[in-house]
Amino acid sequence: MNVFDKSLSPSAQDPSGNPSWEGSSCLGEAPLERQGFTNRHLSLPIPCRVPPRAMCSGNLQTGLLVAGYFVYLLVGAAVFQALERTAEKQQKMAAAQMKEAFLQNFPHLTVAEMEQFMKNLTEAIQNGVYPVGNESQTENSNWDFSNSFFFAGTVVSTIGYGTLRPKTAGGQIFCVFFALFGIPLNIVFLHRVGKMLSLLCKKLGKFLYEKGMRKKKIKFLTLLFFLVTGILVFLCLPSLFFQITEGWSYSEGIYFAFITLSTIGFGDYVVGKQPGRIYFSYYRTLVAIWILFGLAWIALLFNLLTTVLEDTEKIIVKDLHQIVKPKLLP
């Protein structure tokens, strides 16, 4: 079913003879299933009239949901920080001592000792500890609040870069329960944000309808507005920001943005991890917020693309039937 197939014409007229939206149906909401999470219903509807009381109630629910969602992430970030930061500091001190011992004994190391050093170094890097430079850098933590919030966001969104993960038993157990309740909460949050994003398209559709525009034109312009605005806000501008902040090329920024928002999350590019670069406070927190809202947009985009592909398939099958049927007749 095409999300734009419902009637655009008003079902009733007011006493003055002008078209009324009352009683008209909104566009159907096609379900979306995408990797990473299953979103219940996201669509780009043409507007229908909503009673003011229901609108106020909906705004209150949205506010409570958004507040509760971010409180959940903030609490999770605080717990991860408390559980993991001390263990990480110990790992960094051990890596610094290992490096110092290696430099002191370098001329006398045996093959076995060199192999053990390489093994320990590889393990330290896998745990996010980079013993580079003259300082142990124990003051720079991967589990400060900004990084912890970023990690909490990647957990509930199911991106899972793999470059930052809990190492303590407490952190791992907490992560299980945090994800168990956080992923469903994230689905509900994305559903509501998707409705907020589609509100812009609803207003645009209503405006164009009142100008006397046809259904097909409204469909095309609404889709164009949604696609162009989303690509600009969630892909193009963030990629420019990543180019400046991370030192990546613009194409690398586009690649990272899409791989992240599609929840593929290879982990080959991760923000805030470039050695030698200085990042401003709460940089990764802002990136986490971009991810959360960008997920809702790309979920809508995938929904629309799925609908287009399904409709195209139906048209092709219908055309094939029309071609084959006359040949089968005697």
Side-chain angles (χ1 to χ4, degrees):
M1 180 184 69
N2 192 311
V3 292
F4 287 93
D5 277 348
K6 297 279 184 167
S7 174
L8 291 177
S9 40
S11 61
Q13 291 186 340
D14 61 23
S16 64
N18 296 324
S20 170
W21 285 97
E22 196 142 358
S24 63
S25 59
C26 293
L27 290 176
E29 297 182 338
L32 167 65
E33 294 183 1
R34 55 184 296 270
Q35 61 188 61
F37 59 85
T38 302
N39 204 338
R40 284 198 268 174
H41 292 87
L42 291 175
S43 65
L44 291 178
I46 298 298
C48 59
R49 178 166 292 176
V50 180
R53 183 174 297 179
M55 186 177 294
C56 292
S57 176
N59 291 338
L60 179 61
Q61 290 178 358
T62 299
L64 291 175
L65 175 62
V66 172
Y69 180 74
F70 278 97
V71 167
Y72 187 83
L73 291 181
L74 291 171
V75 171
V79 174
F80 281 121
Q81 181 182 19
L83 292 173
E84 296 295 327
R85 193 165 189 175
T86 301
E88 183 203 31
K89 187 175 181 179
Q90 294 173 351
Q91 288 177 341
K92 286 189 173 183
M93 292 177 64
Q97 293 171 0
M98 177 191 68
K99 176 184 176 182
E100 184 178 354
F102 171 79
L103 294 175
Q104 290 177 353
N105 300 315
F106 177 73
H108 310 290
L109 288 177
T110 64
V111 174
E113 289 173 334
M114 179 64 76
E115 290 291 336
Q116 184 62 42
F117 170 78
M118 297 300 295
K119 181 180 178 181
N120 294 338
L121 179 62
T122 302
E123 183 179 351
I125 293 174
Q126 288 175 345
N127 290 330
V129 178
Y130 300 92
V132 178
N134 297 324
E135 299 179 2
S136 62
Q137 298 179 342
T138 54
E139 68 279 1
N140 298 323
S141 175
N142 290 322
W143 290 101
D144 58 17
F145 191 79
S146 179
N147 287 327
S148 298
F149 184 87
F150 179 80
F151 173 75
T154 60
V155 169
V156 299
S157 62
T158 71
I159 295 174
Y161 290 114
T163 55
L164 184 64
R165 58 195 183 279
K167 285 87 176 179
T168 64
Q172 290 171 349
I173 295 299
F174 175 74
C175 186
V176 170
F177 288 98
F178 181 76
L180 182 64
F181 295 98
I183 292 173
L185 178 60
N186 184 63
I187 293 172
V188 175
F189 173 78
L190 292 180
H191 179 215
R192 189 56 59 94
V193 173
K195 284 188 174 182
M196 292 169 60
L197 293 176
S198 67
L199 182 62
L200 295 174
C201 295
K202 291 170 70 175
K203 291 182 177 179
L204 176 62
K206 183 177 180 180
F207 173 78
L208 295 176
Y209 179 81
E210 290 174 347
K211 294 296 183 180
M213 192 169 290
R214 287 184 166 188
K215 171 183 174 180
K216 288 185 177 180
K217 270 194 173 182
I218 292 178
K219 172 183 175 180
F220 173 76
L221 291 177
T222 304
L223 274 172
L224 184 64
F225 172 79
F226 170 76
L227 290 174
V228 171
T229 304
I231 290 172
L232 181 66
V233 172
F234 294 111
L235 290 180
C236 295
L237 292 180
S239 298
L240 181 61
F241 177 71
F242 294 139
Q243 182 183 16
I244 297 171
T245 308
E246 298 288 344
W248 298 335
S249 66
Y250 189 74
S251 61
E252 289 174 323
I254 290 284
Y255 169 78
F256 166 77
F258 181 80
I259 293 299
T260 294
L261 296 184
S262 60
T263 71
I264 296 173
F266 288 127
D268 49 350
Y269 289 86
V270 182
V271 295
K273 301 294 289 184
Q274 297 295 319
R277 298 192 76 88
I278 299 175
Y279 301 96
F280 61 88
S281 300
Y282 299 105
Y283 165 58
R284 298 188 98 191
T285 299
L286 293 176
V287 174
I289 294 173
W290 161 74
I291 290 174
L292 297 175
F293 285 94
L295 285 173
W297 170 75
I298 208 164
L300 283 167
L301 176 61
F302 286 165
N303 183 26
L304 290 172
L305 292 176
T306 301
T307 303
V308 169
L309 291 175
E310 288 176 348
D311 289 348
T312 303
E313 180 187 11
K314 290 178 182 178
I315 293 172
I316 293 173
V317 170
K318 184 178 178 181
D319 290 343
L320 287 175
H321 278 302
Q322 291 177 350
I323 294 172
V324 173
K325 190 174 180 180
K327 294 182 178 180
L328 296 177
L329 293 176

